[in-house]
Amino acid sequence: MKRSGTLRLLSDLSAFGGAARLRELLAGDPAVRVRGSPDGRHLLLLRPLGTVAPQLLVAARGPGAELERTWPAGQPSPLDAFFLPWPARPALVLVWESGLTEVWGAGVGPGWRLLQSTELCPGGGARVVAVAALRGRLVWCEERQAGSEGPLGPPATAFSHCVCVRTLEPSGEANTSLGRTHVLLHHCPAFGLLASCRHLFLVPTATTWPGVAHVLLIWSPGKGKVMVAAPRLGLSYSKSLNPGRGDTWDFRTLLRGLPGLLSLREPLAVHTWAPTPHGLLLLDFGGTVSLVQSHGGTRAVGILQEAPVGPRGSAALGTFQGTLACVLGSTLELLDMGSGQLLERKVLSTDRVHLLEPLAPGMEDEEELETRGSLRLLSALGLFCVGWEAPQGVELPSAKDLVFEEACGYYQRRSLRGAQLTPEELRHSSTFRAPQALASILQGHLPPSTLLTMLRTELRDYRGLEQLKAQLVAGDDEEAGWTELAEQEVARLLRTELIGDQLAQLNTVFQALPTAAWGATLRALQLQPDGNGKLRSQAPPDVWKKVLGGITAVKEPPNGILPPFELLCQCLCRLEPRWLPPFVELAQQQGGPGWGAGGPGLPLYRRALAVLGEEGTRPEALELELLLSSGRPKAVLQAVGQLVQKEQWDRALDAGLALGPSSPLLRSEIFKLLLAEFAQHRRLDAHLPLLCRLCPPELAPAELLLLLRTYLPDEVGPPAPFPEPGAEPPLTVGLLKALLEQTGTQGWPSGPVLSPYEDILWDPSTPPPTPPRDL
């Protein structure tokens, strides 16, 4: 039974801000340039150069400010404008012939805001003739003055252009990041630039020198290649063109090295070009539509019932569901992409119809999800979508049946048994619970819009993940793709319960791509340095609970699978060892009962030390920092003991002085440890002021003397007035006086007088004069 095409009204434009002005521009100016945002919420209308009154209008659907700008006569207006596929906020870029470029964004304040203004041609003397935006890149063709690239003479004056590229990405909440300019092609003719989702097409224009007007180029930045194709000759050649590796080509040299490409001198007679996900569509003046594919091959798609009669570029071409749609004036023709057969021809009520770009995968809202796979048309009458209606008499399977059929194929691919799994078995078996749960949800009479709202975030994430996997399979920009895939997977796993397969998957990602995995964890925990060598976090407690949990009682983890905290410590030790102690210190401040921080089980510093290896094989500096930053008395005393053994007196004293008034017992223990060293040798004398500061203020002089007596080395013989040569000098009263004065800050000693001369040390007055000697 023949299917029929349907033209359905999505909006009468009343939901857009400035609807009256929007309708006026669409109905009044056939040359207006129309673009839709990747999420379908904004429409951009631009009257380009050469019109009576150049004007820009950006209308938003629903809540959101509109942007309208006009340029009076004599003032330069933009050459072109594009929406940027930034997921965080809507953004657009305006480019002038002079090279002036403005990036505007919404969502960072009231209305639209100018984020950045820059010059594409800072040297001056150049003119931008074409521009396109391609997946985070801005590509333009500029005409340079004769002599700026060398002496040019006929016919070399036709090759005075070059094609350049710069990366353009969001940076933070209200900033953009523009990369450096890289020249892709030198000494090339004037090219028109058309961008699809993955490829950039460089097509000849009316001003292109006729000797090369039959050649077009297809640049695939993900693969780092450029295809040089001549559709009329059936020839195509592939060359490397990767800006990351510094590749660049002289256009004339490039063509001379491709045999047979210059044998034809007749230009391509093209009425309209149109980039699509399948390739580049071209409509000639006879009504024939051809498709130039990304590999350079060309095939005929079909012949329209009417040949284009309007000005060059006035037709509109697009594809959907294996169907070619062509709007010529007030006629819409639908052709099968495979056979070229005319499927349907509709007469529209207006001849001012524009085809909009397909929505970016994963950015549709719940209304747009219902029209996925259709083609959107815009006119002054409203926003429409064209699609295929299912023929009458065909019973569509219910959502519940579709769940079990899809689950059956999924489980069959993962099953090791030879028996065929059937949907009926899934319905009645208690082994597979997921399809039964989803079927019960769908059976609960939830309307489709409510269900889409509930699953909107999950559907968007799943769509983006599937698109990324397809990109990796195709080999497009593999390094960045794997990094993004790892970041998405870690972010997803951190939202689940990290046990079993999820924990094993997290370990696998960290082992394969540690840098990308740590970057995703950094964002999930919202870690930021505070400028004092420490870290702070604004992550909610639920995230920290998942990271700090998973304590294993066994010494060796099963199958080498580490809990999340140990996994992060191992990754940090490999990538940035200096941030491991601050991370453990921050983690120690988080948590609750049973989280692994402040709860039962091993303290976090012990878990981190276990990751570093057995005692005696760990990096000494890292182990010391972990012990000192742990805040645990036993760990700090252990670290100070190691510092004393290494005679690192400054660090040992600083560790004690860093403790606040809330740890008087620990400070006292560190003081006693260092006092014992002070009593036995003189290598600590230079640090006596710090030792005095560490002395507990409540310590009485009598107690200090008793401690010193305990730590003093045993005398093996009668005391001598001077030490033996090479022997350690003994402790003197002069060195001891500073410590006794420190203990005296709390008052006179409260204990019994140990010596009749002890009060001499406490007498602040001038000593008595020396008695006269007998002559």
Side-chain angles (χ1 to χ4, degrees):
M1 186 177 296
K2 182 180 178 180
R3 56 181 180 172
S4 60
T6 60
L7 195 62
R8 184 158 65 94
L9 177 66
L10 298 178
S11 171
D12 61 357
L13 303 184
S14 59
F16 287 86
R21 188 68 182 139
L22 185 62
R23 295 190 186 98
E24 180 184 350
L25 285 175
L26 288 171
D29 191 350
V32 67
R33 190 167 295 163
V34 178
R35 301 192 190 278
S37 63
D39 60 358
R41 299 188 60 85
H42 295 80
L43 293 175
L44 181 152
L45 277 70
L46 175 67
R47 281 177 173 170
L49 294 172
T51 54
V52 178
Q55 183 178 9
L56 170 73
L57 175 65
V58 179
R61 186 182 64 189
E66 63 183 76
L67 174 64
E68 185 171 4
R69 295 182 65 186
T70 57
W71 291 269
Q75 183 177 349
S77 60
L79 174 68
D80 211 338
F82 304 92
F83 282 108
L84 301 175
W86 293 354
R89 61 177 183 270
L92 62 92
V93 58
L94 306 178
V95 182
W96 277 257
E97 272 192 352
S98 63
L100 174 64
T101 301
E102 292 182 353
V103 182
W104 291 74
V108 295
W112 286 85
R113 173 182 172 187
L114 179 62
L115 302 181
Q116 187 173 4
S117 179
T118 187
E119 291 286 346
L120 297 181
C121 313
R127 182 175 69 96
V128 176
V129 298
V131 64
L134 172 66
R135 296 183 65 182
R137 300 174 180 88
L138 198 62
V139 189
W140 70 96
C141 179
E142 65 179 51
E143 181 184 12
R144 297 188 173 180
Q145 290 182 350
S148 62
E149 291 191 1
L152 300 176
T157 51
F159 299 94
S160 59
H161 296 72
C162 64
V163 179
C164 308
V165 61
R166 292 181 73 175
T167 58
L168 178 60
E169 296 176 346
S171 176
E173 288 294 327
N175 295 310
T176 59
S177 174
L178 270 168
R180 65 180 183 88
T181 301
H182 182 86
V183 180
L184 298 176
L185 290 176
H186 292 276
H187 302 111
C188 65
F191 275 123
L193 303 181
L194 302 168
S196 67
C197 56
R198 294 185 180 180
H199 309 288
L200 178 75
F201 302 95
L202 291 79
V203 300
T205 65
T207 60
T208 303
W209 185 54
V212 294
H214 63 286
V215 176
L216 59 88
L217 288 80
I218 308 167
W219 181 45
S220 304
K223 298 180 179 180
K225 295 181 179 180
V226 61
M227 297 296 304
V228 185
R232 296 282 300 275
L233 297 174
L235 296 176
S236 62
Y237 298 92
S238 175
K239 293 291 183 179
S240 174
L241 186 56
N242 189 343
R245 295 198 298 261
D247 293 346
T248 186
W249 279 101
D250 185 297
F251 181 76
R252 297 173 298 182
T253 305
L254 178 64
L255 291 193
R256 291 192 192 107
L258 304 177
L261 208 60
L262 297 178
S263 60
L264 181 69
R265 297 287 178 171
E266 184 179 351
L268 284 173
V270 178
H271 179 272
T272 300
W273 305 90
T276 70
H278 306 283
L280 179 67
L281 290 172
L282 56 93
L283 170 65
D284 64 17
F285 288 90
T288 300
V289 181
S290 303
L291 176 67
V292 181
Q293 297 168 301
S294 60
H295 52 69
T298 305
R299 71 175 182 89
V301 176
I303 301 177
L304 302 179
Q305 296 293 305
E306 295 181 4
V309 293
R312 185 187 295 265
S314 60
L317 301 172
T319 60
F320 71 99
Q321 300 177 4
T323 305
L324 167 69
C326 181
V327 178
L328 288 174
S330 59
T331 303
L332 171 64
E333 294 190 22
L334 303 179
L335 280 72
D336 185 89
M337 288 282 291
S339 63
Q341 178 185 2
L342 177 66
L343 301 176
E344 193 161 349
R345 190 169 183 266
K346 292 180 177 291
V347 178
L348 308 177
S349 57
T350 178
D351 59 351
R352 309 269 172 93
V353 180
H354 304 270
L355 295 184
L356 297 181
E357 301 92 339
L359 300 178
M363 299 187 69
E364 311 99 325
D365 56 18
E366 54 268 18
E367 296 180 6
E368 300 291 348
L369 282 173
E370 298 179 0
T371 62
R372 179 183 294 172
S374 302
L375 191 66
R376 297 182 302 153
L377 289 76
L378 179 67
S379 71
L381 301 177
L383 180 63
F384 298 82
C385 76
V386 57
W388 293 112
E389 186 180 42
Q392 297 181 358
V394 177
E395 183 179 355
L396 296 177
S398 66
K400 186 176 179 181
D401 295 334
L402 289 175
V403 166
F404 286 107
E405 290 179 6
E406 184 68 22
C408 182
Y410 171 76
Y411 287 124
Q412 188 66 49
R413 289 192 299 270
R414 299 186 60 185
S415 177
L416 298 178
R417 66 175 188 172
Q420 185 69 26
L421 191 63
T422 63
E424 288 300 322
E425 186 177 351
L426 287 181
R427 291 175 186 271
H428 303 95
S429 174
S430 61
T431 305
F432 307 99
R433 298 182 179 180
Q436 294 180 356
L438 181 56
S440 62
I441 293 175
L442 296 177
Q443 199 175 9
H445 306 291
L446 283 177
S449 59
T450 305
L451 184 61
L452 286 174
T453 302
M454 294 170 56
L455 301 178
R456 179 180 178 182
T457 303
E458 287 76 7
L459 289 173
R460 180 174 299 175
D461 292 346
Y462 179 76
R463 175 79 176 186
L465 187 60
E466 291 300 316
Q467 182 187 15
L468 184 57
K469 290 178 180 178
Q471 174 185 336
L472 291 174
V473 171
D476 292 348
D477 203 0
E478 292 189 18
E479 183 177 354
W482 283 116
T483 300
E484 184 180 352
L485 182 61
E487 292 177 352
Q488 290 189 14
E489 184 66 5
V490 170
R492 182 190 69 83
L493 290 171
L494 289 177
R495 295 194 297 265
T496 64
E497 292 295 330
L498 291 175
I499 56 174
D501 292 342
Q502 287 83 359
L503 184 57
Q505 177 72 2
L506 187 66
N507 276 255
T508 302
V509 175
F510 267 88
Q511 291 171 8
L513 297 164
T515 304
W518 171 250
T521 309
L522 197 70
R523 285 186 289 274
L525 296 178
Q526 303 179 36
L527 296 178
Q528 293 179 346
D530 62 357
N532 298 320
K534 297 185 181 299
L535 293 173
R536 64 175 182 266
S537 170
Q538 298 179 352
D542 290 344
V543 179
W544 277 105
K545 181 177 181 181
K546 294 176 182 178
V547 170
L548 302 181
I551 305 174
T552 56
V554 296
K555 189 172 184 180
E556 292 293 334
N559 300 326
I561 298 176
L562 295 174
F565 177 75
E566 279 78 358
L567 193 60
L568 295 181
C569 290
Q570 185 185 69
C571 184
L572 261 182
C573 186
R574 187 189 314 175
L575 299 177
E576 291 287 346
R578 65 188 182 93
W579 287 112
L580 180 58
F583 173 72
V584 177
E585 183 179 2
L586 174 65
Q588 192 74 43
Q589 301 167 6
Q590 311 296 324
W595 289 19
L602 288 176
L604 292 182
Y605 82 93
R606 294 279 299 277
R607 295 172 61 182
L609 286 174
V611 174
L612 299 181
E614 296 292 336
E615 190 171 356
T617 62
R618 304 165 184 158
E620 294 183 1
L622 199 55
E623 181 180 5
L624 274 174
E625 290 295 334
L626 281 172
L627 292 173
L628 290 174
S629 62
S630 66
R632 296 296 185 102
K634 187 176 179 180
V636 175
L637 280 176
Q638 181 183 346
V640 173
Q642 294 182 15
L643 292 172
V644 167
Q645 291 177 4
K646 299 177 181 180
E647 297 188 4
Q648 297 182 13
W649 310 115
D650 282 332
R651 292 194 63 189
L653 288 163
D654 290 341
L657 293 173
L659 298 171
S662 60
S663 306
L665 294 179
L666 183 55
R667 283 184 60 140
S668 177
E669 289 298 324
I670 294 177
F671 173 75
K672 292 177 183 179
L673 182 63
L674 293 172
L675 185 65
E677 299 294 325
F678 177 72
Q680 295 174 11
H681 54 76
R682 306 276 56 80
R683 293 186 291 278
L684 201 55
D685 292 355
H687 308 278
L688 185 58
L690 293 178
L691 185 62
C692 293
R693 287 177 53 193
L694 188 60
C695 178
E698 69 277 2
L699 186 66
E703 297 170 345
L704 178 64
L705 293 174
L706 284 174
L707 285 174
L708 284 171
R709 184 177 179 182
T710 305
Y711 299 140
L712 285 172
D714 296 332
E715 297 181 357
V716 295
F722 301 100
E724 296 291 336
E728 190 76 37
L731 179 64
T732 63
V733 175
L735 294 171
L736 189 59
K737 182 176 180 181
L739 276 174
L740 290 173
E741 288 177 348
Q742 182 69 21
T743 59
T745 56
Q746 297 295 328
W748 286 77
S750 57
V753 177
L754 301 178
S755 168
Y757 305 103
E758 184 180 2
D759 57 345
I760 296 177
L761 298 174
W762 292 89
D763 188 2
S765 61
T766 305
T770 305
R773 297 180 180 178
D774 296 334
L775 298 177

